[in-house]
Amino acid sequence: MKPEDLVRPEILALKAYPVPAAEGMVKLDAMENPYTLPEELRRELAAVLARVDVNRYPTPTPQKLIDALARRMNVPRGMRLLLGNGSDELIQIAITALARPGAVAMYPAPTFVMYQMSATFAGMKPVAVPLREDFSFDADAFIARMKAEKPALVFIAYPNNPTGVLYPEEDVAKVIRACPGLVVVDEAYHAFAGKSFMPRLPEFSNLIIIRTVSKLGLAGIRLGYMVGRPEWVEQFDKVRPPYNVSGLTQAAALFMLDKLEVLEAQAARIRADRAGLGTALAALKGVTVFPSEANFILVRVPDADAAFQSLKEQKVLIKNLHPGLRNCLRVTVGTPDENRILLTALREAL
Ligand code: PMP
C-alpha cells in the first residue's frame, strides 16, 4: 500500500508551506519584527515563565488573558474572543466550521496562501478573485462574483499579504454588506496600517476579525485571536482543539500585554523605516515599488529568480514570489543595518 492510494488527491497535489533554512542569513523573508526584547524584559519574562506549572494542561479559556486582550486591543463591548495557536489556526477553525459539502471560500488574490490551503484541507471550494494589475481591489467585480458563487466564507487580508496593499475601507464595508456568508477580515498587519475594522464590528452581523501577535514581535509564542459576535464565536469554539494555546504562551502574552508600549514603539520604528526603505528601493534601476501599509515591501525587478539567487548567495533571505507574481520579491522591513545590507546586496544583484 502506498500513500498515493489513500491520501486525498487534492492533498497529494499540494506542496507543504515552504519554510527555507535561514541560519546565518539576514532574515527578511517572514515579516518578523527584527527587534528582540530588551535584556531587562527578557529576564522578567523568564521569571514569569518559571512560575508556569508545566505539569498541568493549560487553562482552555484563559479569562485574564482574554480580558487583557479585549482591553488593550479596544474590542467593542459585547464581542467575544477566541484564542488560537497563531491566526493560522483560527483560519483553519473558521473554515472547518463552515465547510459544508460544496461550500465556497472566496478571497481576492494574490493573498495569504493559507486561505486556499486550509479550504482545500477541509474540502471547501477555494475561489480566488484576481486583484487588478497594480494589486488594487476591484470591489464591484468581487461582489459580482459573490453573487454567482454564494460563498459561505470570504477572507479579506487588511492590509494584504504579499502585496502590502490596504484596500479602501468603504470597498471592504461594501463587500461585507453584500456578502451572503461570513466575512473574515484578517488584520495580521494592523500594527503597521493604523486602520482596523475593530470599531465597526458591531455594525455587521456577518463580520469576524482575526489578528495575531506574530508581526508585533511575538511570532515565537504562536498566539492569534478572533473577535466577533458571541453567536459566531460559540460555534468556532466547538472546533478548537481543547488545549490549543500553551501555558507558556498564555503567560508570556499576559506579561507582554502589560508591556505593549515596547512592542508598539518597535512597530512605529518599523513603520518609519519602511518609508526610507521604500524610497531607497524605488531609486534602484529597474525596480518598481508597490505602496505598502504593512511591515514588508513588494517590489518588481527585471529578473526575480536571478535577483533572489544572488541575494541568497550574499546571505540575504527574502521571499521570491515569481512566477505566481511575475518578477516580484517581498522584503520584510528589518533593522536600519539589515535594510542597508539588503540595499547593497540588491544593487549588486540587479
Ligand atoms: N494572516 C496573514 C495575512 C498572514 O500574512 C499571516 C502570516 N504570514 C497569518 C495570517 C498567520 O500568522 P500567525 O499564524 O503567525 O498568527
Side-chain angles (χ1 to χ4, degrees), residues 17 29-31 84-91 111-115 156-162 186-189 210-215 218-220 222-225 295-296 330:
Y17 188 88
D29 66 324
M31 289 83 87
N85 189 315
S87 48
D88 280 338
E89 188 182 48
L90 297 168
I91 293 166
T111 191
F112 185 40
V113 293
M114 291 312 293
Y115 307 148
I156 308 266
Y158 185 79
N160 190 31
N161 169 25
D186 180 345
E187 297 190 347
Y189 301 97
I210 61 173
R211 289 212 188 146
T212 177
V213 300
S214 295
K215 320 297 171 183
L218 299 171
R222 308 300 298 131
L223 181 73
Y225 55 104
N295 62 340
F296 57 85
R330 188 191 65 199

Side-chain angles (χ1 to χ4, degrees), residues 8-332:
R8 291 155 49 200
E10 59 272 34
I11 305 296
L12 288 173
L14 286 173
K15 283 204 181 71
Y17 188 88
V19 180
E23 217 179 296
M25 308 282 277
V26 174
K27 193 173 183 309
L28 300 174
D29 66 324
M31 289 83 87
E32 291 145 330
N33 173 343
Y35 302 104
T36 54
L37 291 181
E39 207 44 52
E40 168 85 12
L41 266 192
R42 281 179 176 249
R43 270 194 300 273
E44 283 180 49
L45 176 60
V48 167
L49 295 182
R51 285 196 293 274
V52 175
D53 290 329
V54 292
N55 57 316
R56 301 290 177 196
Y57 280 109
T59 316
T61 307
Q63 205 52 52
K64 246 175 100 172
L65 172 56
I66 289 171
D67 291 346
L69 263 174
R71 211 169 37 248
R72 295 304 309 250
M73 302 302 171
N74 300 315
V75 170
R77 208 175 269 282
M79 296 297 152
R80 188 170 152 187
L81 283 88
L82 186 71
L83 306 184
N85 189 315
S87 48
D88 280 338
E89 188 182 48
L90 297 168
I91 293 166
Q92 200 164 26
I93 284 175
I95 286 175
T96 306
L98 271 57
R100 293 180 175 206
V104 165
M106 214 169 122
Y107 40 83
T111 191
F112 185 40
V113 293
M114 291 312 293
Y115 307 148
Q116 190 238 329
M117 287 187 69
S118 291
T120 305
F121 298 159
M124 269 188 129
K125 179 184 162 197
V127 174
V129 183
L131 293 164
R132 295 192 188 101
E133 273 289 297
D134 62 354
F135 304 125
S136 64
F137 182 43
D138 186 341
D140 294 329
F142 194 86
I143 290 169
R145 192 71 189 276
M146 279 200 308
K147 291 215 164 80
E149 295 282 355
K150 302 190 176 47
L153 193 52
V154 163
F155 287 102
I156 308 266
Y158 185 79
N160 190 31
N161 169 25
T163 62
V165 176
L166 183 78
Y167 309 139
E169 180 178 339
E170 270 321 297
D171 281 351
V172 177
K174 209 155 81 171
V175 167
I176 302 169
R177 278 194 294 269
C179 183
L182 180 70
V183 178
V184 173
V185 171
D186 180 345
E187 297 190 347
Y189 301 97
H190 77 101
F192 311 98
K195 293 275 282 181
S196 171
F197 268 82
M198 194 67 87
R200 295 187 68 175
L201 204 41
E203 203 181 306
F204 308 97
S205 61
N206 63 333
L207 172 63
I208 292 285
I209 292 173
I210 61 173
R211 289 212 188 146
T212 177
V213 300
S214 295
K215 320 297 171 183
L216 199 55
L218 299 171
I221 74 171
R222 308 300 298 131
L223 181 73
Y225 55 104
M226 170 192 279
V227 190
R229 291 174 184 246
E231 58 270 30
W232 278 115
V233 176
E234 182 191 345
Q235 300 303 325
F236 296 134
D237 197 22
K238 298 178 191 171
V239 178
R240 178 180 62 82
Y243 305 111
N244 62 329
V245 177
S246 95
L248 296 170
T249 295
Q250 294 180 15
L254 190 58
F255 172 75
M256 283 310 301
L257 276 175
D258 207 34
K259 320 274 181 222
L260 204 57
E261 64 285 353
V262 176
L263 302 181
E264 281 171 345
Q266 292 175 345
R269 175 81 217 245
I270 292 165
R271 229 170 29 225
D273 290 343
R274 174 182 71 203
L277 179 60
T279 308
L281 285 167
L284 297 178
K285 205 161 97 352
V287 175
T288 308
V289 174
F290 294 91
S292 167
E293 298 294 328
N295 62 340
F296 57 85
I297 299 177
L298 185 75
V299 295
R300 180 165 275 144
V301 297
D303 184 345
D305 285 342
F308 175 77
Q309 202 47 41
S310 166
L311 283 171
K312 202 165 147 190
E313 280 155 22
Q314 299 178 73
K315 298 275 175 224
V316 178
L317 185 62
I318 60 166
K319 180 86 171 176
N320 184 8
L321 297 157
H322 186 78
L325 277 72
R326 187 176 40 87
N327 280 327
C328 283
L329 301 168
R330 188 191 65 199
V331 300
T332 306

